[in-house]
Amino acid sequence: MRILVVEDDPVLLDGLSAGLGLAGFTVDAVATCEDAFAALETHKYGTVILDLMLPDGSGLDVLGFLRQRRDATPVVLLTARDQVHDRIAGLDAGADDYLGKPFDLDELAARVRAVARRGSGRATGTLHWRGVVLDPASQTASLGGKLLTLTRREFGILSTLMERPGMTVSKATLEETLYGWQEEVESNAVEVHIHNLRSKLGTGYIKTVRGLGYRLAEENS
Amino acid sequence: MNSIRTRLLAILIASTGLVWLLAVAWIYFSTQAQVERVLDARLMEAARMVNSLLAERRIELALAGNGSGPIAEVQFEDATYERQLSCQIWSLDGRLVGRSEHAPEDRLTDSGSGFSESVVNGEAWRVYVIENPLLGVRVMVGDSLLVRDRLVGGVIKGLAVPAALILPFLAGVIWVSVRRGMSPLNEMAGALSRREASDLRPLPNENLPKEIAPAIHALNGLFRRVEEAREREKSFTAFAAHELKTPLAGLKTQAQVALASHDRQVHENALRQIAAGVDRTARLVRQLLDLAAVEAADRTPHLVEGRPRELVSRILADMPVERDRVKVEGDVKQVAAFDAVLLTLAVRNLVENALCHSEGPVVVRIEGRSRTDILVEDQGPGIPADELPHVTDRFFRGRQRSSTGSGLGLAIAQEAIARMGGVLSIRNRNPHGLAATLSFAAEEEK
């Protein structure tokens, strides 16, 4: 899942990028409201993590910008002002969750997964499909009870497909989900990952829809 | 109860009552004296009249008689006199030869002539006697003092009754006037006692009587200052929380990244970030302490005269960072009065600020003729004009923020110089860079 982190403290921003990357997210990191607006204009994010005090405005401005466009992207607020009335103001402004600084990185990752899951209407944390079980929290996958060893990108492609079983996901969407701004994407990167996934899962799980992208194959196909 | 209204009422009613009493007493005594004089004159007139009537033989006396003869009846024409005055005519050898109708039979007085007072039959009299040796008689005309007192009493009563009736009315008028006069005070007291302790809105200040206006203005000024202080406190707390918790969050996150990753490069980066974060937090903590030191209310500046250049050089020598980028230029002849601690805080924060926001050399320039200026000049980007008025606000970090700044440096410098009685001015340099000037009032030249 690709997420946007808006935080002006360089050390924290760097830590969030690295930490959430380790947790399996693709992270875009910006430090100002202006950059956040630009990023939100051009990309669709699974979740936005937002600091409230920014150099050129408040995180609530970014939140308002999102909600005004009827964009339901889940938003987790990060702030030092964690008094009750601050939380209430943030949540009422349309935030999905709220975390006071300093926070636990694992808790933040769990909350991001939770708001994203709720956003897509699922209740459980794990993804199930034809005996394949994905656990985004531990970044583990298994097939018929046997553990699969997947790379971060492979896991990302599989979970993106499994979040919407039966839907065709374009190569561009997959690339966008897997790679942040700073990362170079080789033109056949997605094909390579799909190939590797097929060799680990076995054929007949991921179907190529020519010209459109990929989707999960039905059992009898 | 300590009430201005009660006190005013008491003073007014007591003093009015006293004045009223004195007036009544004065009227009483002067009226009495006046009435006495008039009555005495009447006595004298009456006596003379009787005497002249006797002399003209208009009244026949039984002078030859032995006392048992007919006694002349003196008739006064006026009915009121008849009731009040008594007249006796005695022969010089002590026989009553005539008297008025209601006059007592006993001799009114033993005095030979003129005014006298006596008691006849238990009644007090004032008597005037004229001796007429030609006729061999004494004419005595007397007033009963009882009657006199009644007369004086009547006059006094005529004055005192309306005055007494006026008293409660007067008290009422005083009470109402005091009440009305005090109503602006009462309104103010009411408005103040109705409000909550946290309510700092100004009191209405239109149409104020000039006695209360200063109090209301002073109160409103106080409210405003308390409100400002409270706002500052609130935003300071919020900013301090943000500025302290954010680097802590950064440290914790980086530490967790280092723990979670097995990648050597990730480890190294995280540790480098942690080191940088600790440096920044340490600086922030130091600046917060500096701010507290500058603000400490009980510390009055300890001004000592010194040569500005020596002081600045010493301060810079104690600074640990990037000494080689800082240059001191210029000097002044005069000495100036500085507080060593405050000057150190001001100069150090300005220099650190300049180092933070620029790459090139930082010049500390000492100049001035009538006053002493310490300029800290850098070649950084300067500050956007619209942000200049806010740069000395605590935790203000403009758009040109550096990653290590806390937004406190200029605030500390400003506070420190203000405590020494100087001024901090900040302007952009041409073509770029910032000049922060500490200006001190001059001491006399040496």
Side-chain angles (χ1 to χ4, degrees):
Chain A
M1 179 168 45
R2 182 162 177 168
I3 61 177
L4 177 68
V5 178
V6 189
E7 164 63 60
D8 66 320
D9 183 83
V11 176
L12 180 55
L13 188 59
D14 181 90
L16 285 174
S17 300
L20 292 172
L22 286 174
F25 298 104
T26 305
V27 181
D28 284 347
V30 296
T32 61
C33 289
E34 207 177 317
D35 292 347
F37 292 143
L40 289 168
E41 292 270 9
T42 48
H43 296 280
K44 175 103 183 82
Y45 290 96
T47 299
V48 178
I49 296 176
L50 205 49
D51 181 23
L52 276 188
M53 281 194 189
L54 293 166
D56 55 345
S58 164
L60 292 179
D61 300 340
V62 179
L63 184 56
F65 172 83
L66 262 182
R67 297 298 181 241
Q68 209 170 22
R69 300 194 317 170
R70 310 209 163 277
D71 188 335
T73 304
V75 171
V76 178
L77 292 179
L78 289 186
T79 180
R81 289 190 296 189
D82 52 358
Q83 299 289 312
V84 173
H85 60 268
D86 292 323
R87 295 178 193 227
I88 291 171
L91 293 174
D92 278 349
D96 297 85
D97 207 346
Y98 203 104
L99 213 50
K101 291 177 186 174
F103 47 83
D104 190 278
L105 188 56
D106 296 334
E107 184 185 355
L108 177 63
R111 283 178 188 248
V112 169
R113 281 193 296 273
V115 294
R117 192 170 66 229
R118 254 180 268 139
S120 63
R122 286 184 292 119
T124 55
T126 49
L127 295 160
H128 299 264
W129 175 74
R130 281 181 61 187
V132 183
V133 179
L134 287 192
D135 183 0
S138 58
Q139 295 271 301
T140 52
S142 62
L143 175 60
K146 263 176 57 188
L147 210 63
L148 289 171
T149 335
L150 299 183
T151 66
R152 195 161 72 80
R153 309 259 195 238
E154 287 160 10
F155 188 90
I157 287 180
L158 192 53
S159 64
T160 305
L161 292 173
M162 280 174 68
E163 273 165 16
R164 306 169 193 80
M167 292 251 303
T168 305
V169 182
S170 72
K171 186 183 149 192
T173 307
L174 285 176
E175 278 176 355
E176 197 161 273
T177 319
L178 295 186
Y179 295 93
W181 293 333
Q182 288 89 357
E183 292 169 291
E184 286 279 326
V185 191
E186 282 175 43
S187 63
N188 64 342
V190 172
E191 280 94 336
V192 173
H193 293 313
I194 294 279
H195 174 81
N196 292 342
L197 263 177
R198 281 181 175 145
S199 66
K200 288 177 185 174
L201 284 169
T203 50
Y205 280 91
I206 298 171
K207 198 175 167 185
T208 308
V209 184
R210 212 158 290 281
L212 289 176
Y214 305 91
R215 68 175 169 84
L216 298 175
E218 294 304 316
E219 193 141 12
N220 50 7
S221 63
Chain B
M1 190 181 72
N2 188 5
S3 145
I4 295 184
R5 196 169 75 185
T6 315
R7 204 149 37 161
L8 253 183
L9 274 176
I11 292 170
L12 280 176
I13 288 179
S15 55
T16 311
L18 190 70
V19 168
W20 181 87
L21 267 179
L22 286 174
V24 169
W26 186 65
I27 289 170
Y28 177 83
F29 288 113
S30 74
T31 306
Q32 194 173 38
Q34 202 74 26
V35 170
E36 300 266 339
R37 217 165 50 236
V38 170
L39 291 180
D40 279 354
R42 191 180 66 166
L43 277 186
M44 211 190 282
E45 285 299 311
R48 284 193 186 132
M49 193 176 76
V50 172
N51 188 34
S52 66
L53 287 176
L54 283 174
E56 291 164 22
R57 307 271 173 205
R58 304 257 296 264
I59 303 171
E60 286 300 329
L61 293 171
L63 276 176
N66 49 10
S68 56
I71 293 172
E73 290 290 330
V74 182
Q75 285 291 344
F76 294 110
E77 284 155 29
D78 195 317
T80 26
Y81 283 159
E82 185 186 15
R83 256 184 281 122
Q84 292 172 358
L85 292 179
S86 297
C87 178
Q88 289 177 336
I89 303 164
W90 292 79
S91 64
L92 288 177
D93 54 5
R95 281 182 301 121
L96 180 66
V97 289
R99 64 180 173 97
S100 61
E101 198 176 353
H102 300 289
E105 297 192 5
D106 294 338
R107 192 182 169 103
L108 277 172
T109 180
D110 297 326
S111 148
S113 66
F115 285 105
S116 62
E117 275 170 32
S118 60
V119 176
V120 180
N121 292 340
E123 207 178 335
W125 289 82
R126 176 138 175 106
V127 186
Y128 186 72
V129 182
I130 296 181
E131 202 181 64
N132 193 334
L134 230 65
L135 293 174
V137 291
R138 277 198 184 91
V139 178
M140 304 180 178
V141 180
D143 258 340
S144 163
L145 282 186
L146 209 69
V147 176
R148 269 194 176 203
D149 286 348
R150 258 210 302 277
L151 223 120
V152 174
V155 174
I156 299 296
K157 206 149 72 186
L159 278 167
V161 168
L165 284 177
I166 276 173
L167 254 194
F169 176 72
L170 204 60
V173 167
I174 288 172
W175 190 73
V176 170
S177 338
V178 167
R179 214 182 138 83
R180 294 210 48 157
M182 303 264 302
S183 68
L185 259 184
N186 287 338
E187 276 165 29
M188 181 175 86
L192 281 175
S193 61
R194 270 195 305 277
R195 39 172 67 203
E196 313 240 331
S198 57
D199 182 0
L200 292 175
R201 282 171 301 142
L203 291 166
N205 59 357
E206 280 140 32
N207 297 328
L208 288 179
K210 71 173 193 281
E211 290 83 358
I212 295 185
I216 297 271
H217 290 322
L219 263 181
N220 282 346
L222 180 68
F223 283 153
R224 202 181 49 245
R225 284 197 300 281
V226 170
E227 178 75 45
E228 281 168 6
R230 204 165 59 173
E231 279 307 310
R232 257 205 315 275
E233 187 96 339
K234 235 160 73 186
S235 66
F236 180 84
T237 316
F239 277 116
H242 179 260
E243 295 296 322
L244 280 168
K245 285 180 172 180
T246 299
L248 286 181
L251 292 177
K252 178 161 181 176
T253 306
Q254 292 287 359
Q256 288 189 312
V257 167
L259 284 173
S261 170
H262 303 292
D263 187 329
R264 192 182 152 75
Q265 214 177 339
V266 172
H267 271 181
E268 265 178 23
N269 181 57
L271 291 175
R272 244 196 326 274
Q273 293 284 354
I274 287 173
V278 169
D279 280 349
R280 194 187 141 202
T281 313
R283 173 149 183 265
L284 173 65
V285 169
R286 202 193 66 217
Q287 285 193 314
L288 280 173
L289 293 175
D290 284 355
L291 194 61
V294 170
E295 279 196 324
D298 57 331
R299 191 176 179 283
T300 43
H302 179 63
L303 296 176
V304 177
E305 289 195 349
R307 293 212 157 270
R309 177 157 183 146
E310 287 169 24
L311 284 167
V312 168
S313 299
R314 210 175 308 145
I315 291 166
L316 293 177
D318 287 341
M319 281 182 57
V321 288
E322 300 182 281
R323 267 292 293 127
D324 43 336
R325 266 177 65 200
V326 187
K327 239 177 23 193
V328 185
E329 284 181 6
D331 199 357
V332 288
K333 288 205 194 75
Q334 69 267 26
V335 295
F338 302 107
D339 177 295
V341 176
L342 292 174
L343 183 71
T344 305
L345 287 176
V347 171
R348 195 180 62 202
N349 277 288
L350 288 182
V351 171
E352 275 182 1
N353 194 59
L355 289 172
C356 238
H357 288 91
S358 68
E359 298 289 327
V362 170
V363 175
V364 181
R365 193 186 303 282
I366 296 154
E367 57 182 40
R369 211 166 270 268
S370 58
R371 53 176 201 194
T372 304
D373 287 348
I374 300 175
L375 283 85
V376 178
E377 299 171 338
D378 66 42
Q379 296 179 3
I383 296 173
D386 60 313
E387 289 180 356
L388 272 177
H390 304 291
V391 287
T392 53
D393 292 354
R394 279 132 202 227
F395 293 115
F396 178 85
R397 296 173 70 196
R399 296 190 289 277
Q400 308 277 6
R401 58 176 56 186
S402 76
S403 57
T404 51
S406 65
L408 282 176
L410 292 179
I412 293 169
Q414 155 93 24
E415 192 81 32
I417 183 91
R419 299 281 317 256
M420 282 187 282
V423 178
L424 170 67
S425 50
I426 294 165
R427 61 177 171 81
N428 283 311
R429 297 170 68 213
N430 207 7
H432 56 83
L434 192 74
T437 311
L438 299 167
S439 298
F440 296 87
E443 300 289 299
E444 69 274 26
E445 298 220 353
K446 270 206 169 171

